[in-house]
Amino acid sequence: MANRTAVVTGASSGIGAATARRLAADGFHVVCAARREDRIAALAEEIKGTPVRCDVTDPDSVNELARVVGDRLDVLVNNAGGAVGSDPVATADPEHWRQMYDVNVVGVLNVTKALLPAILASGDGIIVNVGSTAGRIAYEGGAGYTAAKHGTQVVTETLRLELCGEPVRVTEIAPGMVKTEEFTLKRFGGDREKYDAVYAGVAEPLVADDIADAIGWVVSLPSHVNIDELVIRPRAQAAQHKVHRVFDK
Ligand code: 8X3
């Protein structure tokens, strides 16, 4: 696998950082893309990758990422995304919704457009979009995020149709409950109590490494094997509203 290159967006924390580490362990040179330069510089040093400051919502920033990547790329993991706010539709902030659409949908568009020529030039590429179980169901207080993640799901499906016949696989990884501090704290505006309530009594939520392992597996499969979508939940979460919680008496 020497000389094979991967780009991971949102690589500064959580699933993105874990995926960068996993792909590096699997032999890829990993381009770590995110907005926070100090974080990706440290990560890239650790895994002998390349840090690139990148805001996926900014086409100029994404063009700079494409310039650094050059004319050949094997793996693109569109991981940058996130939730902002948890208000019901009746009181939701449209600006939060715009931000979520921008990063979870338009961000995937920007990065995919910019890097697709390099992916195709590899002759055997794969694009992995990190979606969510929120892209499959609805839940109270989640409409802005679920709408955006349904968008991620549909864009992925569309891309697979449009690229059929080209030497590139297209996959969506759809995680359920993953314990990633930044994601959940950001969603709740830093409210630690709300954060704690999400995971309360759940002995083993998924962690970022679980999702990174799945991405590593999907990437490692033979070229003719395309995992269209992979929904991954912790055993304790049978469905969005069906979570097994155990509390001390
Ligand atoms: C995050 C999963 O369950 O919070 O993408 O919607 S959930």
Side-chain angles (χ1 to χ4, degrees):
M1 250 186 218
N3 302 322
R4 293 222 290 162
T5 301
V7 166
V8 179
T9 67
S12 54
S13 67
I15 293 170
T19 300
R21 288 192 176 95
R22 165 69 197 229
L23 293 177
D26 288 347
F28 287 90
H29 181 86
V30 181
V31 178
C32 307
R35 286 175 301 181
R36 287 173 296 182
E37 286 178 276
D38 52 336
R39 297 273 194 110
I40 50 172
L43 176 63
E45 192 179 337
E46 174 194 327
I47 64 174
K48 299 184 173 40
T50 301
V52 180
R53 196 207 164 269
C54 180
D55 175 351
V56 299
T57 67
D58 173 2
D60 289 341
S61 179
V62 171
N63 286 338
E64 173 59 14
L65 171 64
R67 191 193 64 73
V68 172
V69 167
D71 53 14
R72 186 208 148 108
L73 177 65
D74 302 279
V75 178
L76 166 60
V77 182
N78 278 311
N79 164 73
V84 189
S86 57
D87 293 321
V89 173
T91 55
D93 182 344
E95 186 48 37
H96 286 171
W97 286 37
R98 278 187 207 101
Q99 286 174 26
M100 288 189 277
Y101 192 83
D102 216 16
V103 70
N104 292 291
V105 183
V106 182
V108 171
L109 170 67
N110 289 338
V111 177
T112 302
K113 261 177 89 168
L115 297 182
L116 192 54
I119 286 271
L120 292 172
S122 77
D124 183 14
I126 178 166
I127 299 170
V128 179
N129 291 340
V130 178
S132 172
T133 49
R136 280 146 183 84
I137 40 77
Y139 53 85
E140 302 94 320
Y145 181 63
T146 54
K149 282 301 191 187
H150 275 78
T152 310
Q153 189 271 322
V154 168
V155 169
T156 310
E157 209 176 320
T158 306
L159 192 60
R160 192 180 310 112
L161 294 170
E162 292 173 352
L163 294 177
C164 184
E166 300 287 352
V168 56
R169 294 179 285 157
V170 181
T171 292
E172 184 201 356
I173 300 284
M177 181 189 279
V178 184
K179 194 161 187 177
T180 45
E181 191 169 82
E182 283 204 16
F183 172 90
T184 308
L185 273 179
K186 182 171 179 200
R187 166 180 250 175
F188 296 129
D191 187 324
R192 187 52 74 170
E193 267 183 37
K194 287 185 179 169
Y195 169 87
D196 288 339
V198 170
Y199 305 107
V202 180
E204 286 181 295
L206 296 177
V207 294
D209 281 337
D210 295 320
I211 307 305
D213 283 348
I215 293 173
W217 172 72
V218 163
V219 167
S220 76
L221 292 170
S223 313
H224 68 286
V225 181
N226 193 98
I227 303 296
D228 287 5
E229 46 187 39
L230 192 55
V231 175
I232 312 172
R233 299 179 190 275
R235 189 175 59 187
Q237 186 187 36
Q240 213 73 12
H241 291 86
K242 179 73 178 173
V243 178
H244 181 65
R245 300 179 192 271
V246 178
F247 297 101
D248 291 338
K249 297 239 165 75

